[in-house]
Amino acid sequence: MKIDDVIEDGEQIIVQSANYRMFIIKSGFKYGFQKPGGEIIADAHAASGIRFTEPDGAILYDAETTKLISCDAMKVYLLVTNSQGYEADLYITPLPHYAKVQIIPRTPGKYIIDARTAPLNPVYGLGDYGSHVNTVLTEDAPARGKLDVPARDCANIFGIVRSDMVNQGTNMRFISNFTIFPARGFAQVLFEEGSKRVAFTEDENKLGAANVVKVDKLYYFIGDMQLIYRNYKAVREAEGYKDIKPKYEMFRLGWEAYGSLGWEAYQSAVQEAIQQYEDRGYEFAWGVIGSGFWKGDRKSPYQGTTTSFNIWDDTYEEGRTDGLPNPRFPDVIKIKKFFAEKDMKLILGIRNHFKAPESGGGYYDNVNNGPYIMDALEQDFLLKNPNGSLVKITNAEFPAGTVYVLDGSNRKALAWFKSNADMWEAQGFKEDAMIYTKHYADGNWNKFNEMFMDGDYYIIVRNSAYSVPGDLIRINDTYYGKGEGFHFDQDRMPMNLLNIAASGASNLYPDITGGTPKTDPALPSYQNYFVRNAMFNAVTPAMAMGRRPWEMNNPEYERIVKKAADWHNQYAPYIYSAVLDSYHSGYPYTMTPLHIAYADDPETYGLINRNTRQYEWMLGPSMLAVPVFGNDFDTAESRDVYLPAGKWIDYETGEVFHGPVTLKDYPLPKEKIPIFIGGKGVVVFQDPNDHQFYAEVYPIADRGSEYTYTFTDGMTKTTILNENKEWDPKSIVIMDTTAGKRVSFEYRKRTGSFRFLLSSGHDYQFKNLNIQK
């Protein structure tokens, strides 16, 4: 890499790269970014671009002066002095499509450091913090935020201010300050394990950190959306936040005991529920038993945990008061065999924290908890504060609430943890640590999930920083309700998912269909919720069942839920191919917010609001999802549907539309799959009858378009090339170019689509015959 040019002209310094210019006004180190022709991408802050405290101070002081010290082929070195005379060395490394900035105060100490440009709007991302939609979060606002300032676009996080953004509570567990401005072709991130600061207001666009000695991993990205996400992926992996290749089975239909049984799982109930689903034709690829498989009374603080490795509740215990079978899992071999015979991956809940032995809720008991916390203490495997004391975390599930966390940076601790977790003899784990005390080690969980993924486990991630080293990442628990707080805000679900996707993680799981089993299933409103939730989940990357649909005693609604689950299973191969495209490229193909998929279309920035609830996303390159969901789930039967430029076909009716167009009050009844086909116009599905894989090509894309499908082995590819000039079924020929022969196809008159059997690894071409009249 070579810097194209550095120009110092009076009060301005310009750092030129091939595709952008970073300009710096020396007074106040006010900086911004321009296109090579001079068009502003991000303008300079009005007062100062950099501000920092005195050593160990709390008051921020604006940068006042800037001095260019030197530059070479790789880096520009400047000296910045704030208004109190404190100095910081500042380095800029401009690469072709992004710039790295490092701010290093010269006087030893801990600092608050902010880097900021002029305001930019709209903005998306911020991981779990992006779930706080339609909200202004002030410095002292609670974690869930306040619904203070209505915004036209609720996915837009403009208005959020946080001074201490870290992993905390049940809701803020995927932590990322990556933020993207699609309309500007601009994005930013500050990699920091400690206290992170953000502000997206009418005054500033800010990323910062508190209680740090320096900020040295601040990046700004410039380019189109695919380019930005590709570079972001490369940078975050270089900074130690790895993505790991997800596995196909997790994108087929799953099942979770928590949705069916709550905290009170036991062996006979688990087996009964799964068998009942199977008897009704459901096909599960995986199942989660998240709790209750360890020893101890479920009403006692002294019961075991997921870190009571291989200590199953498999023997009778005197004095139990929880009213559950005693023991709960009397035949461990049998339940493992039960899962294996049904070709379901057995996934257990797991956490990387341990009950503290001195805590009343963390009573050390060889029977219920095993020797593991004592082993970890003796071998110095636990996370520590900078002063050397153990990090103590409060957890609401334990009466005294104190737990210790394993140190993910300690390789011996990781190996010890995995060797113990192996004893459960499960095929995967649902990671679900619940943290109620700020611990400033957001990436600690990444290492544990990376370790399990490297060991070929199936992993559902909940806690992570910047990347998702797992098969799925889930949002926090979903509950039936209508806007009564964070969990009961149904608009939160799409907003949380879409902003995690904007953060670069699109292997998303929207939690258990039907929510948690706390509501009378005969309640009509809950039944409406159940079916709308099922259709919503079906058109996301991952889907799992929990509560049994037949408990509603509503055969029509039960049929709709089954239709949604079957549809998701049928198209899991297509979804998984998009998952792999996302994994390799960094771009969120699996669930692409429309404002990212069509960043140049200004209409996509006003879709998502609480009045129209146009929750739309691309599910892979050929499907546009338009589900009815939100706090009006009980009454809504239609949506305004926006279709961007191009041809779109209603998946259910075959009706054809040409965008850009808004379909006002478009009917979306409960039983309708809420999908339009567009984009590449090619999908792949597994037939539920013969279980073979078929491609379906819709008359969408122009000549020369091609779609590459990756098979479920994660490696084998097939390319389908469109070389035809027209879509007349009488003149269409589909060639297997690998085998050098024509293939038969089924023409679907309703949608005008062509179906044909795929041969693994073969390429295909659509052509026209010359028909003589």
Side-chain angles (χ1 to χ4, degrees):
M1 192 282 296
K2 182 179 179 181
I3 297 173
D4 293 332
D5 208 356
V6 177
I7 301 169
E8 185 174 21
D9 182 13
E11 283 301 305
Q12 185 167 257
I13 299 168
I14 298 175
V15 180
Q16 297 195 133
S17 187
N19 300 289
Y20 64 89
R21 292 189 298 191
M22 182 178 180
F23 64 91
I24 301 160
I25 300 168
K26 291 193 288 187
S27 175
F29 192 84
K30 297 186 282 285
Y31 66 96
F33 295 87
Q34 298 171 306
K35 293 181 179 180
E39 181 183 346
I40 295 292
I41 300 170
D43 211 345
H45 190 274
S48 72
I50 302 296
R51 59 179 187 167
F52 54 98
T53 61
E54 62 184 4
D56 304 312
I59 300 174
L60 284 153
Y61 300 106
D62 289 348
E64 194 166 80
T65 64
T66 305
K67 182 178 180 182
L68 176 62
I69 304 298
S70 65
C71 59
D72 55 30
M74 298 293 292
K75 190 174 290 187
V76 180
Y77 169 33
L78 306 105
L79 177 65
V80 176
T81 305
N82 71 13
S83 61
Q84 297 300 299
Y86 290 98
E87 297 175 326
D89 295 315
L90 193 145
Y91 300 92
I92 301 169
T93 305
L95 286 94
H97 295 284
Y98 63 92
K100 180 179 182 179
V101 177
Q102 299 166 285
I103 307 162
I104 307 172
R106 285 188 167 183
T107 305
K110 292 293 184 72
Y111 289 83
I112 303 171
I113 304 172
D114 286 344
R116 53 193 187 160
T117 72
L120 293 167
N121 185 15
V123 52
Y124 307 91
L126 219 62
D128 269 340
Y129 278 81
S131 65
H132 298 301
V133 295
N134 209 23
T135 293
V136 168
L137 290 178
T138 59
E139 299 286 339
D140 58 352
R144 71 176 54 187
K146 300 178 293 182
L147 297 181
D148 286 342
V149 181
R152 178 167 181 248
D153 179 353
C154 287
N156 182 7
I157 57 175
F158 189 80
I160 286 182
V161 177
R162 295 302 293 172
S163 60
D164 194 14
M165 196 182 96
V166 293
N167 184 303
Q168 184 185 19
T170 61
N171 305 326
M172 301 299 103
R173 290 196 263 172
F174 175 57
I175 305 303
S176 174
N177 57 26
F178 176 81
T179 37
I180 190 162
F181 309 84
R184 299 295 189 100
F186 186 66
Q188 60 190 18
V189 69
L190 169 58
F191 294 104
E192 173 57 52
E193 283 291 296
S195 176
K196 292 166 282 293
R197 296 163 53 83
V198 300
F200 312 104
T201 69
E202 294 180 356
D203 297 319
E204 62 184 354
N205 162 51
K206 178 182 77 180
L207 295 182
N211 198 35
V212 295
V213 297
K214 60 184 176 180
V215 161
D216 65 345
K217 299 174 182 178
L218 173 63
Y219 292 86
Y220 294 100
F221 303 88
I222 295 97
D224 62 35
M225 295 298 98
Q226 284 82 2
L227 181 63
I228 284 175
Y229 281 105
R230 181 166 68 246
N231 283 319
Y232 174 50
K233 175 181 173 66
V235 166
R236 73 171 177 259
E237 292 194 342
E239 294 290 359
Y241 299 96
K242 291 172 56 178
D243 297 317
I244 298 180
K245 188 176 181 179
K247 296 173 283 296
Y248 170 62
E249 290 82 357
M250 296 305 290
F251 298 90
R252 286 182 56 77
L253 190 65
W255 175 87
E256 289 214 39
Y258 184 60
S260 181
L261 305 167
W263 293 114
E264 299 180 345
Y266 53 95
Q267 183 168 342
S268 60
V270 167
Q271 294 182 196
E272 177 186 61
I274 293 173
Q275 188 61 54
Q276 287 175 342
Y277 269 107
E278 184 179 273
D279 292 343
R280 286 163 170 81
Y282 286 80
E283 295 182 6
F284 292 134
W286 50 275
V288 174
I289 305 174
S291 64
F293 48 88
W294 51 77
K295 285 191 182 296
D297 192 319
R298 288 297 282 131
K299 292 186 177 181
S300 168
Y302 308 124
Q303 63 178 304
T305 70
T306 59
T307 49
S308 305
F309 299 112
N310 205 36
I311 303 177
W312 290 84
D313 184 36
D314 57 359
T315 56
Y316 180 81
E317 182 181 359
E318 291 284 353
R320 290 270 288 270
T321 62
D322 56 23
L324 298 172
N326 187 1
R328 291 188 295 274
F329 288 83
D331 193 337
V332 175
I333 293 175
K334 182 178 179 180
I335 196 166
K336 291 177 180 177
K337 183 179 179 182
F338 176 85
F339 272 76
E341 288 175 344
K342 297 186 180 303
D343 199 22
M344 289 177 65
K345 307 302 179 186
L346 172 60
I347 297 176
L348 298 180
I350 202 163
R351 296 175 179 176
N352 66 347
H353 58 232
F354 298 82
K355 294 180 179 181
E358 70 273 16
S359 168
Y363 177 74
Y364 173 58
D365 181 333
N366 268 319
V367 175
N368 288 342
N369 294 310
Y372 303 108
I373 179 58
M374 302 309 292
D375 286 351
L377 283 164
E378 290 168 6
Q379 297 186 68
D380 198 25
F381 286 165
L382 301 175
L383 196 65
K384 292 182 178 179
N385 294 303
N387 63 7
S389 64
L390 290 175
V391 171
K392 294 184 178 182
I393 303 295
T394 58
N395 184 302
E397 293 175 27
F398 306 143
T402 301
V403 296
Y404 293 146
V405 180
L406 212 64
D407 184 358
S409 67
N410 185 325
R411 291 187 178 182
K412 290 183 178 180
L414 289 175
W416 172 86
F417 188 81
K418 182 180 179 298
S419 66
N420 286 315
D422 288 342
M423 293 191 297
W424 286 120
E425 295 182 330
Q427 286 78 57
F429 294 106
K430 178 185 178 182
E431 172 268 306
D432 192 34
M434 297 173 68
I435 302 304
Y436 292 88
T437 305
K438 295 179 181 179
H439 60 93
Y440 303 104
D442 295 329
N444 192 58
W445 277 261
N446 292 54
K447 301 303 180 185
F448 288 91
N449 291 318
E450 287 174 20
M451 169 192 67
F452 282 128
M453 288 291 284
D454 288 341
D456 291 326
Y457 279 102
Y458 295 81
I459 297 297
I460 300 175
V461 171
R462 185 65 191 98
N463 294 269
S464 186
Y466 301 104
S467 66
V468 180
D471 297 292
L472 306 177
I473 180 170
R474 74 173 183 90
I475 63 171
N476 208 58
D477 300 344
T478 52
Y479 293 78
Y480 161 75
K482 296 182 180 180
E484 301 167 5
F486 185 89
H487 284 97
F488 298 92
D489 184 353
Q490 304 309 327
D491 290 302
R492 182 266 302 190
M493 289 179 57
M495 298 300 94
N496 204 169
L497 292 167
L498 290 170
N499 271 317
I500 291 179
S503 304
S506 64
N507 47 335
L508 290 155
Y509 169 37
D511 203 54
I512 308 164
T513 302
T516 55
K518 297 181 179 180
T519 307
D520 180 358
L523 184 68
S525 180
Y526 174 73
Q527 295 184 4
N528 290 333
Y529 166 80
F530 201 142
V531 292
R532 286 300 188 188
N533 185 227
M535 279 297 178
F536 177 92
N537 290 357
V539 297
T540 65
M543 182 180 187
M545 305 304 298
R547 191 161 200 178
R548 288 160 276 208
W550 48 94
E551 292 178 3
M552 292 186 288
N553 197 27
N554 185 326
E556 176 62 13
Y557 279 15
E558 181 184 346
R559 182 191 66 80
I560 294 171
V561 172
K562 178 70 161 48
K563 178 183 178 180
D566 287 347
W567 187 91
H568 184 88
N569 252 357
Q570 185 176 349
Y571 286 96
Y574 163 80
I575 292 171
Y576 182 61
S577 183
V579 168
L580 294 176
D581 290 342
S582 300
Y583 165 72
H584 289 297
S585 70
Y587 182 83
Y589 284 105
T590 325
M591 189 173 183
T592 320
L594 223 57
H595 41 264
I596 288 173
Y598 294 88
D600 293 332
D601 183 347
E603 291 300 313
T604 64
Y605 295 99
L607 292 181
I608 306 168
N609 62 74
R610 288 179 180 265
N611 294 322
T612 65
R613 292 183 174 84
Q614 290 177 277
Y615 303 128
E616 300 183 25
W617 58 86
M618 293 299 295
L619 181 66
S622 304
M623 289 184 172
L624 173 61
V626 296
V628 169
F629 202 70
N631 290 327
D632 64 345
F633 65 81
D634 205 12
T635 57
E637 292 292 332
S638 65
R639 282 283 186 265
D640 287 355
V641 172
Y642 179 71
L643 301 177
K647 182 179 179 181
W648 300 91
I649 299 174
D650 185 312
Y651 173 86
E652 289 265 23
T653 68
E655 192 172 358
V656 177
F657 302 92
H658 294 273
V661 63
T662 297
L663 309 179
K664 300 295 289 184
D665 289 321
Y666 193 73
L668 291 166
K670 294 179 177 68
E671 68 273 10
K672 184 174 185 176
I673 302 293
I675 287 288
F676 284 80
I677 304 295
K680 294 285 186 180
V682 184
V683 298
V684 173
F685 65 92
Q686 185 175 26
D687 188 279
N689 297 311
D690 64 18
H691 298 289
Q692 297 196 80
F693 293 85
Y694 293 82
E696 184 162 10
V697 180
Y698 290 76
I700 298 286
D702 294 332
R703 184 181 184 185
S705 173
E706 67 177 36
Y707 166 73
T708 298
Y709 168 71
T710 305
F711 281 79
T712 58
D713 65 0
M715 298 178 291
T716 307
K717 295 181 182 294
T718 279
T719 296
I720 299 172
L721 175 63
N722 176 20
E723 284 292 347
N724 58 298
K725 295 182 179 180
E726 57 183 29
W727 293 97
D728 184 351
K730 295 178 181 179
S731 68
I732 284 284
V733 173
I734 304 177
M735 294 294 301
D736 180 336
T737 56
T738 303
K741 63 180 183 180
R742 290 169 60 167
V743 299
S744 61
F745 61 83
E746 175 191 359
Y747 176 65
R748 312 276 289 183
K749 186 175 181 180
R750 176 176 54 82
T751 56
S753 58
F754 301 79
R755 287 186 175 184
F756 62 96
L757 182 67
L758 283 181
S759 293
S760 180
H762 287 218
D763 294 332
Y764 299 88
Q765 186 180 60
F766 273 60
K767 303 175 70 174
N768 291 121
L769 285 174
N770 292 321
I771 300 176
Q772 300 294 327
K773 294 187 177 179

